[in-house]
Amino acid sequence: MRFYLQGIDENKAELTGEAHTHAAYAMRIRTGDFITVFDGRGTEYSCQISAVKKDRTELKIIDKKTNVGETQRDYTLYISVIKQDRFEFAVQKATELGVGRIVPVYTTYTQRGGSLNIERLNRIVVAACEQCGRSKLPVVENCIEFEELIARTKNTHMIFPWERERRGTLHDAIDKTQKNISVFIGPEGGITEDEAARLTQAGAKPVTLGSRILRAETAAITTLSVICFELGEWDL
């Protein structure tokens, strides 16, 4: 049982609010039980329940570890704004795969009728970290324009799947010497030839994901998974 908890000191901590309600009433933890909490910045604490009160669960810290469940490199996912439910799915899975930063992007074919709920996305990130065993919370940024994406491309090793690319492969595009890896995923309507050209000119690597056109959220999961495998993040 894992909980995200802010304000942890080196000796004791406590669950309040929804975390306390879930632990005490849904999970029915009792004094003497053991749980794990993490601070979202890279430290995880093994704790024993010292008391269950009406409004809080008091914890005694037994041990701590750092960078539990984290990747060897820094991964950023730039993903065009898509429908809220699909974007949320992509955020959840990217968090599970170890991404450290998630950045929504406006492109030519992005539907701008609605807006993403960043607060809700952050709650999804927390739940995903609790579930998958990560100790750091990914940063979810506010939406940026395509021009900002181009500017950032020059400072990172960026890869972007494009349905019109036929030769570039993920295997060949990955530079294993890089510590900062970025992935850009286009919207449901794809990116334009001009956008692809500008990304390439800025140093990004276009790749193909095969003969089938994948949804944006599927492309994000697929690309990140292959990169993690190629860079040795998974011991398979």
Side-chain angles (χ1 to χ4, degrees), residues 76-80 105 107 146 149 158-161 182-187 191 199:
T76 298
L77 173 63
Y78 293 94
I79 178 168
S80 298
V105 182
T107 58
F146 187 76
L149 175 68
M158 183 176 289
I159 295 169
F160 69 100
S182 295
V183 171
F184 168 62
I185 302 296
I191 60 174
L199 283 166

PDB file of all heavy atoms in Angstrom, residues 76-80 105 107 146 149 158-161 182-187 191 199:
ATOM      1  N   THR A  76      11.020  13.112 -21.549  1.00  0.00           N
ATOM      2  CA  THR A  76       9.951  14.108 -21.659  1.00  0.00           C
ATOM      3  C   THR A  76       9.011  13.702 -22.783  1.00  0.00           C
ATOM      4  O   THR A  76       9.466  13.329 -23.872  1.00  0.00           O
ATOM      5  CB  THR A  76      10.524  15.507 -21.966  1.00  0.00           C
ATOM      6  OG1 THR A  76      11.373  15.920 -20.894  1.00  0.00           O
ATOM      7  CG2 THR A  76       9.393  16.531 -22.116  1.00  0.00           C
ATOM      8  N   LEU A  77       7.723  13.758 -22.514  1.00  0.00           N
ATOM      9  CA  LEU A  77       6.721  13.492 -23.538  1.00  0.00           C
ATOM     10  C   LEU A  77       6.049  14.799 -23.923  1.00  0.00           C
ATOM     11  O   LEU A  77       5.380  15.429 -23.101  1.00  0.00           O
ATOM     12  CB  LEU A  77       5.672  12.501 -23.034  1.00  0.00           C
ATOM     13  CG  LEU A  77       4.470  12.267 -23.969  1.00  0.00           C
ATOM     14  CD1 LEU A  77       4.922  11.647 -25.294  1.00  0.00           C
ATOM     15  CD2 LEU A  77       3.414  11.402 -23.294  1.00  0.00           C
ATOM     16  N   TYR A  78       6.239  15.210 -25.177  1.00  0.00           N
ATOM     17  CA  TYR A  78       5.484  16.312 -25.764  1.00  0.00           C
ATOM     18  C   TYR A  78       4.355  15.679 -26.567  1.00  0.00           C
ATOM     19  O   TYR A  78       4.620  14.894 -27.496  1.00  0.00           O
ATOM     20  CB  TYR A  78       6.370  17.155 -26.680  1.00  0.00           C
ATOM     21  CG  TYR A  78       7.460  17.913 -25.971  1.00  0.00           C
ATOM     22  CD1 TYR A  78       8.741  17.379 -25.849  1.00  0.00           C
ATOM     23  CD2 TYR A  78       7.227  19.172 -25.429  1.00  0.00           C
ATOM     24  CE1 TYR A  78       9.752  18.071 -25.208  1.00  0.00           C
ATOM     25  CE2 TYR A  78       8.231  19.879 -24.786  1.00  0.00           C
ATOM     26  CZ  TYR A  78       9.497  19.319 -24.674  1.00  0.00           C
ATOM     27  OH  TYR A  78      10.504  20.016 -24.041  1.00  0.00           O
ATOM     28  N   ILE A  79       3.141  15.984 -26.221  1.00  0.00           N
ATOM     29  CA  ILE A  79       2.018  15.358 -26.911  1.00  0.00           C
ATOM     30  C   ILE A  79       0.968  16.410 -27.257  1.00  0.00           C
ATOM     31  O   ILE A  79       0.579  17.229 -26.404  1.00  0.00           O
ATOM     32  CB  ILE A  79       1.403  14.211 -26.069  1.00  0.00           C
ATOM     33  CG1 ILE A  79       0.198  13.597 -26.774  1.00  0.00           C
ATOM     34  CG2 ILE A  79       1.060  14.672 -24.660  1.00  0.00           C
ATOM     35  CD1 ILE A  79      -0.280  12.285 -26.142  1.00  0.00           C
ATOM     36  N   SER A  80       0.547  16.408 -28.504  1.00  0.00           N
ATOM     37  CA  SER A  80      -0.461  17.366 -28.951  1.00  0.00           C
ATOM     38  C   SER A  80      -1.756  17.185 -28.168  1.00  0.00           C
ATOM     39  O   SER A  80      -2.095  16.084 -27.736  1.00  0.00           O
ATOM     40  CB  SER A  80      -0.732  17.190 -30.442  1.00  0.00           C
ATOM     41  OG  SER A  80       0.435  17.448 -31.189  1.00  0.00           O
ATOM     42  N   VAL A 105       0.919  20.187 -26.361  1.00  0.00           N
ATOM     43  CA  VAL A 105       1.366  21.074 -27.440  1.00  0.00           C
ATOM     44  C   VAL A 105       0.199  21.384 -28.379  1.00  0.00           C
ATOM     45  O   VAL A 105      -0.574  20.495 -28.744  1.00  0.00           O
ATOM     46  CB  VAL A 105       2.510  20.426 -28.257  1.00  0.00           C
ATOM     47  CG1 VAL A 105       3.003  21.378 -29.347  1.00  0.00           C
ATOM     48  CG2 VAL A 105       3.666  20.004 -27.354  1.00  0.00           C
ATOM     49  N   THR A 107      -0.783  22.263 -32.103  1.00  0.00           N
ATOM     50  CA  THR A 107      -0.271  22.186 -33.471  1.00  0.00           C
ATOM     51  C   THR A 107      -1.374  22.607 -34.442  1.00  0.00           C
ATOM     52  O   THR A 107      -2.483  22.951 -34.031  1.00  0.00           O
ATOM     53  CB  THR A 107       0.185  20.750 -33.797  1.00  0.00           C
ATOM     54  OG1 THR A 107      -0.917  19.856 -33.625  1.00  0.00           O
ATOM     55  CG2 THR A 107       1.326  20.313 -32.881  1.00  0.00           C
ATOM     56  N   PHE A 146       3.451  25.433 -30.889  1.00  0.00           N
ATOM     57  CA  PHE A 146       4.411  24.679 -31.688  1.00  0.00           C
ATOM     58  C   PHE A 146       5.751  25.413 -31.787  1.00  0.00           C
ATOM     59  O   PHE A 146       6.811  24.777 -31.814  1.00  0.00           O
ATOM     60  CB  PHE A 146       3.839  24.422 -33.093  1.00  0.00           C
ATOM     61  CG  PHE A 146       4.690  23.514 -33.927  1.00  0.00           C
ATOM     62  CD1 PHE A 146       4.704  22.148 -33.709  1.00  0.00           C
ATOM     63  CD2 PHE A 146       5.497  24.025 -34.934  1.00  0.00           C
ATOM     64  CE1 PHE A 146       5.493  21.305 -34.478  1.00  0.00           C
ATOM     65  CE2 PHE A 146       6.281  23.197 -35.708  1.00  0.00           C
ATOM     66  CZ  PHE A 146       6.279  21.831 -35.483  1.00  0.00           C
ATOM     67  N   LEU A 149       7.816  24.457 -28.965  1.00  0.00           N
ATOM     68  CA  LEU A 149       8.338  23.103 -29.159  1.00  0.00           C
ATOM     69  C   LEU A 149       9.589  23.129 -30.024  1.00  0.00           C
ATOM     70  O   LEU A 149      10.585  22.464 -29.712  1.00  0.00           O
ATOM     71  CB  LEU A 149       7.271  22.218 -29.803  1.00  0.00           C
ATOM     72  CG  LEU A 149       7.714  20.800 -30.167  1.00  0.00           C
ATOM     73  CD1 LEU A 149       7.994  19.988 -28.904  1.00  0.00           C
ATOM     74  CD2 LEU A 149       6.669  20.101 -31.030  1.00  0.00           C
ATOM     75  N   MET A 158      15.349  14.608 -29.537  1.00  0.00           N
ATOM     76  CA  MET A 158      13.912  14.409 -29.744  1.00  0.00           C
ATOM     77  C   MET A 158      13.638  13.446 -30.901  1.00  0.00           C
ATOM     78  O   MET A 158      14.277  13.507 -31.947  1.00  0.00           O
ATOM     79  CB  MET A 158      13.207  15.739 -30.007  1.00  0.00           C
ATOM     80  CG  MET A 158      11.691  15.600 -30.171  1.00  0.00           C
ATOM     81  SD  MET A 158      10.841  17.183 -30.367  1.00  0.00           S
ATOM     82  CE  MET A 158      11.000  17.857 -28.715  1.00  0.00           C
ATOM     83  N   ILE A 159      12.658  12.595 -30.678  1.00  0.00           N
ATOM     84  CA  ILE A 159      12.190  11.631 -31.668  1.00  0.00           C
ATOM     85  C   ILE A 159      10.693  11.851 -31.861  1.00  0.00           C
ATOM     86  O   ILE A 159       9.968  12.061 -30.881  1.00  0.00           O
ATOM     87  CB  ILE A 159      12.456  10.192 -31.186  1.00  0.00           C
ATOM     88  CG1 ILE A 159      13.975   9.937 -31.096  1.00  0.00           C
ATOM     89  CG2 ILE A 159      11.788   9.162 -32.094  1.00  0.00           C
ATOM     90  CD1 ILE A 159      14.323   8.653 -30.377  1.00  0.00           C
ATOM     91  N   PHE A 160      10.239  11.826 -33.117  1.00  0.00           N
ATOM     92  CA  PHE A 160       8.796  11.957 -33.325  1.00  0.00           C
ATOM     93  C   PHE A 160       8.302  10.979 -34.390  1.00  0.00           C
ATOM     94  O   PHE A 160       8.812  10.940 -35.500  1.00  0.00           O
ATOM     95  CB  PHE A 160       8.408  13.398 -33.682  1.00  0.00           C
ATOM     96  CG  PHE A 160       8.857  13.889 -35.037  1.00  0.00           C
ATOM     97  CD1 PHE A 160       7.989  13.913 -36.117  1.00  0.00           C
ATOM     98  CD2 PHE A 160      10.156  14.342 -35.223  1.00  0.00           C
ATOM     99  CE1 PHE A 160       8.386  14.378 -37.364  1.00  0.00           C
ATOM    100  CE2 PHE A 160      10.578  14.807 -36.464  1.00  0.00           C
ATOM    101  CZ  PHE A 160       9.696  14.839 -37.535  1.00  0.00           C
ATOM    102  N   PRO A 161       7.326  10.133 -34.039  1.00  0.00           N
ATOM    103  CA  PRO A 161       6.702   9.259 -35.027  1.00  0.00           C
ATOM    104  C   PRO A 161       5.886  10.111 -36.017  1.00  0.00           C
ATOM    105  O   PRO A 161       5.214  11.070 -35.611  1.00  0.00           O
ATOM    106  CB  PRO A 161       5.773   8.365 -34.200  1.00  0.00           C
ATOM    107  CG  PRO A 161       6.203   8.541 -32.784  1.00  0.00           C
ATOM    108  CD  PRO A 161       6.780   9.906 -32.689  1.00  0.00           C
ATOM    109  N   SER A 182      13.519  13.059 -25.559  1.00  0.00           N
ATOM    110  CA  SER A 182      12.167  13.605 -25.707  1.00  0.00           C
ATOM    111  C   SER A 182      11.437  12.902 -26.837  1.00  0.00           C
ATOM    112  O   SER A 182      12.047  12.511 -27.840  1.00  0.00           O
ATOM    113  CB  SER A 182      12.209  15.112 -25.993  1.00  0.00           C
ATOM    114  OG  SER A 182      12.747  15.816 -24.894  1.00  0.00           O
ATOM    115  N   VAL A 183      10.139  12.772 -26.670  1.00  0.00           N
ATOM    116  CA  VAL A 183       9.269  12.195 -27.694  1.00  0.00           C
ATOM    117  C   VAL A 183       8.164  13.205 -27.978  1.00  0.00           C
ATOM    118  O   VAL A 183       7.554  13.730 -27.040  1.00  0.00           O
ATOM    119  CB  VAL A 183       8.666  10.855 -27.226  1.00  0.00           C
ATOM    120  CG1 VAL A 183       7.591  10.380 -28.201  1.00  0.00           C
ATOM    121  CG2 VAL A 183       9.753   9.799 -27.075  1.00  0.00           C
ATOM    122  N   PHE A 184       7.911  13.458 -29.257  1.00  0.00           N
ATOM    123  CA  PHE A 184       6.782  14.313 -29.634  1.00  0.00           C
ATOM    124  C   PHE A 184       5.763  13.483 -30.382  1.00  0.00           C
ATOM    125  O   PHE A 184       6.089  12.778 -31.347  1.00  0.00           O
ATOM    126  CB  PHE A 184       7.233  15.482 -30.512  1.00  0.00           C
ATOM    127  CG  PHE A 184       6.078  16.214 -31.154  1.00  0.00           C
ATOM    128  CD1 PHE A 184       5.134  16.853 -30.377  1.00  0.00           C
ATOM    129  CD2 PHE A 184       5.925  16.227 -32.527  1.00  0.00           C
ATOM    130  CE1 PHE A 184       4.046  17.504 -30.952  1.00  0.00           C
ATOM    131  CE2 PHE A 184       4.853  16.871 -33.121  1.00  0.00           C
ATOM    132  CZ  PHE A 184       3.910  17.519 -32.332  1.00  0.00           C
ATOM    133  N   ILE A 185       4.517  13.586 -29.956  1.00  0.00           N
ATOM    134  CA  ILE A 185       3.413  12.866 -30.583  1.00  0.00           C
ATOM    135  C   ILE A 185       2.427  13.880 -31.151  1.00  0.00           C
ATOM    136  O   ILE A 185       1.964  14.782 -30.437  1.00  0.00           O
ATOM    137  CB  ILE A 185       2.683  11.962 -29.563  1.00  0.00           C
ATOM    138  CG1 ILE A 185       3.662  10.963 -28.925  1.00  0.00           C
ATOM    139  CG2 ILE A 185       1.515  11.240 -30.230  1.00  0.00           C
ATOM    140  CD1 ILE A 185       4.277   9.968 -29.882  1.00  0.00           C
ATOM    141  N   GLY A 186       2.090  13.734 -32.425  1.00  0.00           N
ATOM    142  CA  GLY A 186       1.162  14.651 -33.073  1.00  0.00           C
ATOM    143  C   GLY A 186      -0.289  14.387 -32.690  1.00  0.00           C
ATOM    144  O   GLY A 186      -0.600  13.420 -31.983  1.00  0.00           O
ATOM    145  N   PRO A 187      -1.193  15.217 -33.172  1.00  0.00           N
ATOM    146  CA  PRO A 187      -2.621  15.100 -32.820  1.00  0.00           C
ATOM    147  C   PRO A 187      -3.321  14.027 -33.652  1.00  0.00           C
ATOM    148  O   PRO A 187      -2.697  13.344 -34.473  1.00  0.00           O
ATOM    149  CB  PRO A 187      -3.154  16.495 -33.140  1.00  0.00           C
ATOM    150  CG  PRO A 187      -2.315  16.924 -34.305  1.00  0.00           C
ATOM    151  CD  PRO A 187      -0.937  16.379 -34.048  1.00  0.00           C
ATOM    152  N   ILE A 191       0.497  15.664 -38.052  1.00  0.00           N
ATOM    153  CA  ILE A 191       1.162  16.959 -38.213  1.00  0.00           C
ATOM    154  C   ILE A 191       1.345  17.231 -39.700  1.00  0.00           C
ATOM    155  O   ILE A 191       1.324  16.320 -40.523  1.00  0.00           O
ATOM    156  CB  ILE A 191       2.521  17.009 -37.484  1.00  0.00           C
ATOM    157  CG1 ILE A 191       3.481  15.929 -38.032  1.00  0.00           C
ATOM    158  CG2 ILE A 191       2.322  16.856 -35.991  1.00  0.00           C
ATOM    159  CD1 ILE A 191       4.874  16.020 -37.445  1.00  0.00           C
ATOM    160  N   LEU A 199      10.581  20.460 -37.535  1.00  0.00           N
ATOM    161  CA  LEU A 199      11.112  19.643 -36.454  1.00  0.00           C
ATOM    162  C   LEU A 199      12.431  18.986 -36.867  1.00  0.00           C
ATOM    163  O   LEU A 199      13.410  18.969 -36.101  1.00  0.00           O
ATOM    164  CB  LEU A 199      10.105  18.562 -36.056  1.00  0.00           C
ATOM    165  CG  LEU A 199       8.922  19.000 -35.196  1.00  0.00           C
ATOM    166  CD1 LEU A 199       7.855  17.919 -35.166  1.00  0.00           C
ATOM    167  CD2 LEU A 199       9.387  19.324 -33.775  1.00  0.00           C
TER     168      LEU A 199
END
